[in-house]
Amino acid sequence: MNKIDVDQMENQKKTAFKNIQSGSKYQAGLVIRPIENGTVIDHITAGEALNVLRILGITGSTVERISVATNVISKEMGQKDLVKIENRELAQQEVDRIALIAPQASINIVRNCVVIEKSVVSNPEELVGVVKCPNPCCITNANEPVSTKFYVRQSVLICSYCDWHIEKNIHSYIL
Amino acid sequence: MKHFISIQSIPRESIDKLLDRAEQIARHRPTGRPLSEKILGLLFFEPSTRTRMSFESSMLRLGGQCLNLGGAESSVMKGETLADTIRVVDGYVDAIVLRHPRIGAAQLSTEFSSVPIINAGDGAGQHPSQTLIDLYTIRQSFPLDGLDVGLLGDLHYGRTTHSLAYALAKYGVTIHTISPKGLGFPLSVKRSLTRFGACVVEHESIKEALPHLDVLYVTRIQRERFPDPASHYDTLHSYRITPELLSNAQKHLIVLHPLPRIDEIDPGVDVLPHAKYFEQAKNGIPVRMALLLGVMK
Ligand SMILES: [Zn+2]
């Protein structure tokens, strides 16, 4: 190994070390490797990664290979969570559910190591079959063959059948 | 108008049109038998004899026929979903009047029915035909815009007051709520009213609110709903409408009540010019006739 190579390695190490110290983007790279195929959900509200997994029905017994990073330092958000799911692309309903608890999240679909689709989640105006109505007297809790339907007004969900307002703990009502 | 489900979803112009039509009907009975080819289905999953009779009478006066589709007492429908019931009976009739204990039942029915659904009360939700009658009765005394209307009683569970408040919001009315602690509007109703731009003033005492009012709408406070049963007697008494109390009201104040009343209004009030609740009960027929014509013609 000649001197230049050694110097170069030293420099790289120094940069990496500096990056870790300053908490730059490089840190996430160290924590989680890129994936070949699947979905990367980035910019999740810090602390919500596990709720995102719950929404996606991912439990300890699912087969997908999952990487989760919580409280990663982020330039825009201070702290954020990150989830990578290998070999799975999300359906629109799943994206809608994620939007409820992580409105800033961005979703990158990766095929053959290339990001082929990058989208920011957006709260839809209506949520059909995403949230259970907490009102026990609501007709949607009576075994009828209908999906729940909620209107989204700012951060409040309103049941279209019984007018119930969900303002807090939205994640605990997600179906 | 295809269905008649909730007062919020009906624009003010359509409400005015229905009320105008009811006024015409009250003045001159409609000529001929405009609904003679039609059958109205009555599907009541909880008993409400008055409401049912009122719809039946209205239909018969328009020359139509009624078919009682059963409901709570019908063994056929036990265990069947409402969706299935609606899908079957909509083939028998030209419109369905539905009363059901669950909120949102009428809206759900519209998703499975090929004929118009009229909501005759869904749990603690809406009772929009009663609301039309209330508006109609107020309008007989004054134009609706900008009034001060007091809603008294159990505003938490009372479905008539919710529907009425939503309707009044369309007319820029100031709503004064008068109810014991714990029986005020549910938060969701308050939020919705605010969203519709309604002005709501809350009172606990009728004495405090009364002098401001043009209309006083009285509803029952059921004992079992009372948050503190030990104190209910005194409290109920303080909300009772008596001739003495009304001596502090504006001269033009009108008092309404959806009836039946128990003892919320002293019988001594009946003879005062304020009392409009028997008028209100009579108005049920022309208003429901206008409604039936509205969905079937
Ligand atoms: Zn509901």
Side-chain angles (χ1 to χ4, degrees), chain B residues 133-281:
Chain B
I133 296 163
D134 301 339
L135 294 175
Y136 181 84
T137 310
I138 297 172
R139 220 175 69 152
Q140 284 181 315
S141 298
F142 338 90
L144 290 166
D145 293 273
L147 292 173
D148 281 85
V149 179
L151 302 177
L152 181 145
D154 173 0
L155 307 182
H156 194 84
Y157 300 96
R159 65 175 134 214
T160 51
T161 57
H162 301 172
S163 291
L164 181 57
Y166 289 137
L168 291 172
K170 295 178 198 275
Y171 293 89
V173 164
T174 302
I175 298 165
H176 298 262
T177 66
I178 307 151
S179 60
K181 257 207 169 76
L183 290 180
F185 277 147
L187 201 61
S188 63
V189 173
K190 272 196 248 178
R191 290 274 157 81
S192 299
L193 284 170
T194 318
R195 222 175 48 239
F196 301 150
C199 177
V200 181
V201 187
E202 293 178 275
H203 308 265
E204 264 181 52
S205 137
I206 169 73
K207 285 210 181 81
E208 168 198 313
L210 190 64
H212 307 286
L213 303 179
D214 304 306
V215 179
L216 175 60
Y217 193 93
V218 184
T219 61
R220 208 192 312 170
I221 305 176
Q222 280 167 316
R223 259 149 230 216
E224 60 272 23
R225 295 267 161 79
F226 222 77
D228 177 12
S231 71
H232 83 255
Y233 184 80
D234 288 347
T235 312
L236 285 183
H237 199 74
S238 76
Y239 285 93
R240 197 170 137 85
I241 309 304
T242 61
E244 299 79 69
L245 179 82
L246 291 179
S247 62
N248 300 313
Q250 303 196 65
K251 226 171 153 184
H252 65 258
L253 170 89
I254 60 169
V255 178
L256 305 185
H257 190 300
L259 303 183
R261 68 173 155 174
I262 307 295
D263 50 9
E264 307 85 72
I265 302 177
D266 187 290
V269 174
D270 299 357
V271 295
L272 300 178
H274 301 299
K276 294 289 181 202
Y277 31 89
F278 294 120
E279 290 288 324
Q280 185 188 1

Side-chain angles (χ1 to χ4, degrees), chain B residues 40 59 61 67 123 141 173 209:
Chain B
L40 179 67
M59 186 62 179
R61 282 172 196 272
L67 189 57
S141 298
V173 164

Side-chain angles (χ1 to χ4, degrees), chain B residues 22-29 136:
Chain B
E23 214 172 275
Q24 273 171 13
I25 292 171
R27 227 177 280 144
H28 343 267
R29 277 280 138 80
Y136 181 84

